[in-house]
Amino acid sequence: MGLSTHTGRWTALQVMQDAPVIPVIVLNDVAHAVPLARALVAGGIRMLEVTLRTPQALECIERIAKEVPDAVIGAGTIRSTADAQAAAKAGALFGVSPGYTRAVGMACRDAGLALLPGVATGSEIMMAQEDGFTELKFFPAMQAGGPAMLKAWSGPFFDVKFCPTGGVTLQNAPEFLALPNVICVGGSWIVPTDAMKSGDWGRITQLCLDTAALKKAA
């Protein structure tokens, strides 16, 4: 795709097209950030969503941005203008939000962050589209209707592409990725908490390599 030498801003579409899975990462220990990022990159996954769910998240983003140049670091759980600004300051290049508001959308634009806005209803999709967002995160995917909901949306929202996240596993990911309006999935299964706690980075790299079988259906 010619993105390996990318130096400018990323688009949401480029972030979604890079690999079949975007890892949803919750980091409680700053010491885990860099070795985890390196393990993921070694497994072919470089779009990394570190969620802003812990006090250490921003420092983790900053460490990865500085020390793992092959990673493209993003911030998840962006819920406010302040979140977007702090994420960009820490070095994030894209953002992911659990829902969508115009304030968050504009804040990410102003901060230079590509945004994957979270949606769970038709009205939210329309709000995001009004503001120019056509690549969206379907969240929480399984709880909000799963592949059946995405199939239903493919009619009225034929021009929207999705990254379903929430309850997605290695087992059900193929069903999502087979849908024409799905580009990639978001998942936490490739960053298991026990592997991080024990420093089993090789296991995480292997879990990434296992996702190669999830190549997007043509």
Side-chain angles (χ1 to χ4, degrees):
M1 289 168 51
L3 297 180
S4 58
T5 56
H6 196 287
T7 54
R9 290 185 176 184
W10 292 86
T11 66
L13 185 60
Q14 288 170 328
V15 170
M16 291 169 72
Q17 288 176 330
D18 206 64
V21 183
I22 297 175
V24 180
I25 304 165
V26 180
L27 282 164
N28 293 291
D29 188 338
V30 175
H32 291 161
V34 169
L36 173 65
R38 288 178 176 153
L40 291 163
V41 169
I45 305 288
R46 61 173 179 163
M47 297 292 168
L48 313 183
E49 177 193 340
V50 174
T51 61
L52 301 182
R53 300 182 193 178
T54 67
Q56 301 84 4
L58 287 169
E59 187 177 351
C60 291
I61 289 171
E62 191 171 353
R63 291 272 186 97
I64 294 169
K66 287 180 178 176
E67 298 182 42
V68 191
D70 290 335
V72 180
I73 187 68
T77 325
I78 290 182
R79 299 185 301 163
S80 66
T81 298
D83 285 345
Q85 293 170 343
K89 186 178 179 182
L93 298 175
F94 68 93
V96 184
S97 60
Y100 181 71
T101 66
R102 178 162 287 178
V104 163
M106 297 307 103
C108 286
R109 282 225 174 104
D110 291 344
L113 294 176
L115 177 65
L116 283 177
V119 299
T121 67
S123 295
E124 290 170 329
I125 295 172
M126 290 165 65
M127 287 170 58
Q129 276 195 290
E130 280 181 10
D131 292 337
F133 296 96
T134 55
E135 289 81 35
L136 310 176
K137 164 184 165 178
F138 175 37
F139 176 82
M142 289 306 293
Q143 296 85 344
M149 179 67 88
L150 288 166
K151 286 178 187 174
W153 279 346
S154 66
F157 302 115
F158 59 89
D159 51 351
V160 177
K161 301 297 184 185
F162 295 96
C163 170
T165 304
V168 180
T169 65
L170 183 61
Q171 290 70 39
N172 64 23
E175 188 177 358
F176 283 106
L177 289 166
L179 298 172
N181 58 348
V182 171
I183 296 181
C184 68
V185 299
S188 57
W189 82 84
I190 53 176
V191 284
T193 303
D194 60 334
M196 280 197 279
K197 283 183 177 177
S198 63
D200 191 353
W201 310 119
R203 179 181 162 204
I204 287 172
T205 295
Q206 186 57 52
L207 287 167
C208 292
L209 293 170
D210 292 343
T211 67
L214 296 176
K215 290 295 183 190
K216 176 75 181 134

